[in-house]
Amino acid sequence: MATSKEYGLGEFDFPRGWFMIGTSADATRTPAPIRYFGKDLVIYRGESGKAYVVDAYCPHMGAHLAKNSTSYIVRDGEHVEGESIRCPFHGWRFGTDGACNHIPYSDFIPKAAKLATYPVIERAGIVWMWHDPEGLEPDVELANFGGHYGEPGWVEWKIDYMGDLGSHGIEIVDNMADFGHFVPIHGATDWQYFANEFMGGHLHQYYSAGHRTLTANPEDALVLDTWYEGPGFLQSEMAGTFDSFIMIANTPIEDGVSRCWHALMVKVHDGSRETTREDREMALAYQEGSRLAFAQDVEIWANKRACINPLAIPKDGPYAKVRLWYRQFYNPRDKAPEIQDRVNGLHVTLDKRPGQKVA
Ligand code: FES
Ligand SMILES: [Fe+2]
């Protein structure tokens, strides 16, 4: 395990971006402790159904807002009132802007009685939180995950928790450039094309080859457009045995420790008929195949030592560019354009498509 500073990523220990912090089922009317970005946080759901994330410790005397089962605030069901959360210790209540809006035994409310709050969006069965080391509002929109969630003919994903890994997010994002791992790890066959495109805050990987884990028939070519929108999650449009859409999230818990999830949606028909139980079972089986393919990467990450300086050879793919691209999220926002200017563009590692020069 190594830290962001040890990788030389920039000024901040934790990156800017949208991050998965749990599934929709994790946000309930019972506030729950969570820990990300080296911070103790609390997640809860207000009466309106909206999910919130706030700092865990009360500004009054430092009680943990969620780790309590015996206070009468908790026992009497006053822990969440409307959209506000009430501290189990002395009952101070905090609204959605984090400001204290009620003290049971005082009309005077100090201005400093304020909790830090974080932007949260629930989308595609997942709770996403905006983390910004500069404390600014989001400057990028959260992805819409191909627009496939809830679309007729698509079976929605379930979330596969993949583990808490002693690997920094950069080691996970390295995978985008990692041409050399596709044959040993994923059983790539019959390579056609492998390239990366750096586009501002986005990073794409274009893959065209067979894949022993994901295609039923090893001769079937798998065509993948895989990309990151920011540092925290990968999306992939996959045309193979079925059209499908993958999401892989990595969220820092501590500096150098990442929580990882996988999910996959499958298009089972064109939307002109009802989705059957068989369709759902087939989609789940396909998701399981994809999970197993990703678990092959995870097994490496869960056991490797940190790689501060890859011993890279030219045919490895553009690791150095990926790592430079990733640095934009660990530095102040106004430095991002300068980093993007240095990496933007297409890098082709292999091109054996008919009519192309052999790489
Ligand atoms: S510590 Fe939270 S109300 Fe006193
Ligand atoms: Fe991989």
Side-chain angles (χ1 to χ4, degrees), residues 23-316:
T23 68
S24 288
D26 295 329
T28 72
R29 295 289 303 285
T30 302
I34 53 174
R35 186 172 169 86
Y36 292 106
F37 312 103
K39 258 198 275 252
D40 288 320
L41 303 166
V42 166
I43 186 170
Y44 71 94
R45 199 180 282 285
E47 264 165 33
S48 70
K50 194 172 162 4
Y52 299 97
V53 173
V54 298
D55 269 353
Y57 299 109
C58 180
H60 178 217
M61 298 277 286
H64 195 293
L65 292 175
K67 287 187 177 176
N68 187 286
S69 57
T70 54
S71 158
Y72 283 103
I73 301 277
V74 174
R75 292 191 198 178
D76 293 347
E78 294 167 353
H79 208 170
V80 172
E81 283 177 351
E83 306 302 291
S84 299
I85 182 167
R86 200 183 274 283
C87 177
F89 200 2
H90 311 95
W92 293 24
R93 192 182 66 189
F94 302 88
T96 57
D97 59 354
C100 180
N101 58 22
H102 185 235
I103 298 177
Y105 51 91
S106 167
D107 290 334
F108 168 68
I109 299 178
K111 279 232 156 25
K114 202 164 189 314
L115 278 175
T117 62
Y118 301 89
V120 167
I121 294 178
E122 208 168 339
R123 184 167 295 166
I126 294 168
V127 183
W128 303 90
M129 168 182 148
W130 175 257
H131 178 264
D132 193 320
E134 296 169 278
L136 301 172
E137 289 298 307
D139 61 344
V140 292
E141 280 187 25
L142 177 63
N144 77 347
F145 304 102
H148 303 312
Y149 200 83
E151 205 178 297
W154 285 76
V155 173
E156 290 173 7
W157 51 36
K158 70 177 178 65
I159 308 296
D160 298 315
Y161 164 69
M162 301 300 293
D164 292 358
L165 311 175
S167 274
H168 192 284
I170 186 57
E171 303 258 358
I172 294 167
V173 177
D174 274 345
N175 218 238
M176 290 296 281
D178 193 345
F179 173 70
H181 91 297
F182 276 102
V183 170
I185 296 295
H186 301 301
T189 55
D190 192 22
W191 272 110
Q192 296 294 308
Y193 189 60
F194 185 81
N196 290 107
E197 192 166 15
F198 300 82
M199 306 160 87
H202 293 201
L203 160 58
H204 281 256
Q205 177 199 78
Y206 308 118
Y207 171 105
S208 175
H211 191 297
R212 278 165 59 185
T213 320
L214 283 175
T215 51
N217 176 353
E219 273 81 61
D220 285 351
L222 187 67
V223 179
L224 291 164
D225 178 4
T226 300
W227 70 100
Y228 273 84
E229 294 184 21
F233 58 93
L234 168 155
Q235 302 173 75
S236 188
E237 288 274 7
M238 186 156 76
T241 311
F242 303 97
D243 287 347
S244 61
F245 191 89
I246 299 177
M247 192 285 303
I248 288 171
N250 79 87
T251 305
I253 302 172
E254 311 294 344
D255 189 357
V257 180
S258 310
R259 180 161 296 163
C260 223
W261 296 269
H262 162 272
L264 174 134
M265 283 181 273
V266 188
K267 185 177 183 182
V268 290
H269 59 77
D270 61 7
S272 62
R273 61 172 179 84
E274 289 292 301
T275 299
T276 63
R277 197 161 58 89
E278 287 73 30
D279 289 331
R280 283 183 215 289
E281 279 167 9
M282 197 274 303
L284 282 180
Y286 204 59
Q287 168 156 353
E288 181 59 7
S290 171
R291 186 190 70 79
L292 288 172
F294 181 50
Q296 292 173 281
D297 293 298
V298 170
E299 187 181 18
I300 298 284
W301 296 325
N303 297 294
K304 75 191 295 300
R305 67 153 169 80
C307 176
I308 304 288
N309 292 304
L311 176 57
I313 57 172
K315 290 225 164 144
D316 265 334

